Amino acid sequence: MGYQLSREQFDRFLDRLQDDYRVFGPALDSDKGAFSDTDRITYKNIRRLDDLELNRKSYFSPKEIFFPIRETLFRFCEGEPTVPQIDDKKIAILLRPCDSNAIDRLDAIFLENGPFEDFYYKRRRENVRFFLIECATGFDSCWCVSMNANTTKRWDVAFRFGEDEILVDVKSEEFLPYLDDCPQKPFEIRFIYENTKKVRVPEVGEVTLDHFAHELWNEYTARCIACGRCNTSCPTCSCFTVLDAPLGAEKKMGERWRAWAGCHIDGFTDMAGGHTFRQSRGERMRFKTMHKINDYRKRFGKHQCVGCGRCDDVCPQYISFARCINTLSDCIEEGKRK
Amino acid sequence: MINPFLPSKMKILDIIPETEIDQTFVLAGRKPVKPGQFFQLSVPGAGEAPVSVSDFEDDKLFVTIRKVGRLTNALFALAPGDYIFARGPYGNGFDYRDYVDSDLKVIAGGTGLAPVKKVIKHFIANKSIASLEVLLGFKTPQDILYRREVRAWVDAGLATLTVDKAGPDWSGNTGLITGYLKNLDLSNLENCKFIVVGPPIMIKFITIELLLLQVPEENIWVSLERKMSCGLGKCGHCKIGETYVCLEGPAFRFARARRLLD
Ligand SMILES: Cc1cc2nc3c(=O)[nH]c(=O)nc-3n(C[C@H](O)[C@H](O)[C@H](O)COP(=O)(O)OP(=O)(O)OC[C@H]3O[C@@H](n4cnc5c(N)ncnc54)[C@H](O)[C@@H]3O)c2cc1C
Ligand code: SF4
Ligand code: SF4
Ligand code: FES
């Protein structure tokens, strides 16, 4: 069902949602940018249209809304584990097609991989609704088209935000009551089919041992500082570490947490006894690259990377993942010609 | 909804000292488990870590633990009658059927013996394989695990035992385990199967030697160690390529293991 809303009508729509939903969207964090006097776009609670920042890409993805940076798995009390309750209010997230696809990539790990569904992920994820933001042109660092992540069917309500009006397409009936007095107008969301940035992704099977041993990775050993920003800003990075914190003097109480982890960061593979894998940062870059464009695809039949380009936006060393994939493809092409 | 992260309590029935820093914990509990599989053991507040099952019978599970850090220190502070938390078992483990009718050689270094102890015991009791030989290496005589059982295997002519470095009162073999590969009876090589477990460096050199001896890589099994935070295919720490060691491993045919590139 299509609607055309004025800015006031959109604000009223948000107002009506507040009782039943928490609405999140990209918003401005003034002065939180990497440099002084710069802003950062993060995901925040949205109450009015003016809260939204739609002209710039968000620094972080929406994943932390339902996969928190740190989460208590349970508390041990008198030796028994108790699982904390969560706010079970529904969550509507304003996001773009790449991020909608990214959540599908997270779902595969948390809900499909291994014999069990991830209890903690699932109980939050079940409450999530997708408010899709139409991308008119995308941003300079986007390469979603190369990753087949520019289109999606995964949304409940889709929006085109114009200067004075907002066009709306409602797919999930649960949202119809919140718009029932708004003017109807047929509207169908469009997707973009070209980005300025283009990435050539190798086919599965084209990556061989030679490309693992290739010198292209050495550059990253010299440049990467293992800060992990590319991991934390990535909408599809799902890794975490489990850790315990003791509480009270008796040591009979404690909490078990999980917290985001990243394959670029020191300690990710450390084992007792001091053994560690992928010590050089080039090896970590290679591991991440293979994971995002090769390994995951072998396992789940689709790329993990959705081409949102955030890793390139946030890297303090100006390392471009897009360029890395293209360099890898160049090496493969070169090998074929030989 | 099942919460696979929730551990359950297991009572410690007995604690058997093995070495200065290794203890075997006997836990009460009946769980269907295969050798080579592991549990996520934890002490509230101290942490959680993967530990292989080293033996099991009726209503008892055995785990052998080396005291190396925060969690294992907390485990060593416990006494019979106390409880630990456990979830699992996880991983594939060794499948007895893979070795039927073969001349099985088990090569274990140090604590690597724990995950295959039950395999050895099983094939001693159960005659489904053609023959069994065991090669065991430890750093020093003080590091030898399961002394009573190891002694019995050596006395029965089933096992060769060596230590890297011996003191004056050691009359047995000394030197690296790789040096004793030649003691194995490999006359019927096509029928030989190998299980190799131990520190990564030992696995590396033993497998190099075996391949030089023309052992097909499908006839070698290894057990890999990785950092693991979940055992459930979620946390990502154990992933190599498209393989999750906690799900598809930790036991792998070498044909696959050697293609796992970090
Ligand atoms: C499948 C599998 C099966 C296992 N089976 C067994 C088993 O049967 N028995 C057993 O004892 N263990 C087993 N382990 C290993 C076991 O999980 C670890 O010993 C355990 O995690 C140690 O936890 P901890 O909290 O006691 O040690 P931690 O406190 O986490 O640290 C252990 C030690 O390692 C050192 N260390 C850690 N990281 C580094 C580093 N980067 N550089 C230098 N030193 C470092 C620390 O200083 C500390 O001394 C297994 C592991 C796996 C993956
Ligand atoms: S990557 Fe594609 S879907 Fe995502 S913001 Fe850029 S253009 Fe839009
Ligand atoms: S953001 Fe850049 S410097 Fe930081 S870990 Fe990633 S690639 Fe390395
Ligand atoms: S241990 Fe967490 S994914 Fe394997």
Side-chain angles (χ1 to χ4, degrees), chain A residues 224-230 264 315-317 319:
Chain A
C224 171
I225 57 165
C227 68
R229 279 195 203 175
C230 50
H264 268 272
C315 180
Q317 296 294 93
I319 288 171

Side-chain angles (χ1 to χ4, degrees), chain A residues 76 79-80 109-110 113 116 118 120 209 239-242 244 256 268 270-271 277-278 286 291 295 299, chain B residues 3 5 9 42 44-45 47-48 70 85 226-227 229 233-235 237 239 241-242 244 248 261-262:
Chain A
F76 289 102
E80 292 300 330
I109 298 285
F110 286 113
N113 205 39
F116 299 101
D118 187 293
Y120 297 93
L209 276 178
C239 292
F240 60 84
T241 297
V242 172
D244 271 34
R256 184 156 300 159
F268 185 74
D270 284 2
M271 294 197 314
F277 305 90
R278 305 191 294 274
R286 181 180 67 197
H291 183 40
D295 306 339
R299 210 172 164 93
Chain B
N3 183 347
F5 288 93
K9 268 182 169 176
S42 58
E48 184 178 61
R70 194 167 159 218
F85 284 87
R226 287 282 146 163
K227 181 178 169 73
S229 257
K234 311 291 183 198
C235 78
H237 283 286
K239 187 187 152 299
E242 76 273 27
Y244 287 76
E248 283 99 41
L261 297 174
D262 273 289

Side-chain angles (χ1 to χ4, degrees), chain B residues 208-225:
Chain B
I208 288 175
E209 293 288 329
L210 291 178
L211 295 184
L212 283 175
L213 289 167
Q214 309 295 323
V215 177
E217 49 184 29
E218 304 79 57
N219 290 351
I220 306 171
W221 279 257
V222 296
S223 182
L224 299 187
E225 262 200 43

Side-chain angles (χ1 to χ4, degrees), chain A residues 140-202:
Chain A
D140 291 343
S141 58
C142 300
W143 70 88
C144 55
V145 177
S146 304
M147 306 312 299
N148 298 323
N150 52 318
T151 68
T152 177
K153 294 192 171 68
R154 221 169 291 101
W155 48 272
D156 296 285
V157 185
F159 301 91
R160 175 182 298 163
F161 290 95
E163 273 305 305
D164 316 302
E165 47 158 48
I166 294 109
L167 296 175
V168 185
D169 186 8
V170 181
K171 200 157 84 173
S172 297
E173 284 180 11
E174 81 179 70
F175 292 101
L176 290 175
Y178 302 94
L179 289 158
D180 58 4
D181 59 352
C182 292
Q184 295 189 5
K185 180 175 176 181
F187 163 64
E188 230 178 89
I189 183 176
R190 281 198 225 116
F191 296 103
I192 63 163
Y193 290 93
E194 191 167 8
N195 301 122
T196 42
K197 189 162 260 177
K198 292 178 180 59
V199 172
R200 287 164 286 113
V201 188

Side-chain angles (χ1 to χ4, degrees), chain A residues 73-74 76 78-83 108-120 122-123 126 209 212 238-242 244-246 251-256 258 261 267-273 275 277-278 283 286-287 291 295-296 298-300, chain B residues 1-9 40-48 68-72 78 82 85 87 89-90 199-201 224-244 246-248 256 258-262:
Chain A
L73 301 181
F74 42 82
F76 289 102
E78 300 300 324
E80 292 300 330
T82 355
V83 177
I109 298 285
F110 286 113
L111 304 177
E112 287 171 36
N113 205 39
F116 299 101
E117 292 178 329
D118 187 293
F119 170 90
Y120 297 93
K122 189 174 181 183
R123 66 177 182 165
E126 277 176 342
L209 276 178
F212 263 81
S238 56
C239 292
F240 60 84
T241 297
V242 172
D244 271 34
K251 297 254 176 85
K252 286 268 185 288
M253 300 202 299
E255 279 199 349
R256 184 156 300 159
R258 72 167 165 203
F268 185 74
T269 64
D270 284 2
M271 294 197 314
H275 206 86
F277 305 90
R278 305 191 294 274
E283 290 171 304
R286 181 180 67 197
F287 177 84
H291 183 40
D295 306 339
Y296 183 99
K298 284 192 199 161
R299 210 172 164 93
F300 300 106
Chain B
M1 203 181 351
I2 298 171
N3 183 347
F5 288 93
L6 267 189
S8 54
K9 268 182 169 176
Q40 288 281 3
L41 294 188
S42 58
V43 175
E48 184 178 61
V68 293
R70 194 167 159 218
L71 167 68
T72 45
L78 300 177
D82 288 342
F85 284 87
R87 55 188 182 89
Y90 299 121
I201 189 84
L224 299 187
E225 262 200 43
R226 287 282 146 163
K227 181 178 169 73
M228 293 184 180
S229 257
C230 72
L232 300 163
K234 311 291 183 198
C235 78
H237 283 286
C238 72
K239 187 187 152 299
I240 318 173
E242 76 273 27
T243 302
Y244 287 76
C246 70
L247 301 177
E248 283 99 41
R256 178 157 181 201
R258 72 182 310 197
R259 281 169 187 77
L260 297 177
L261 297 174
D262 273 289

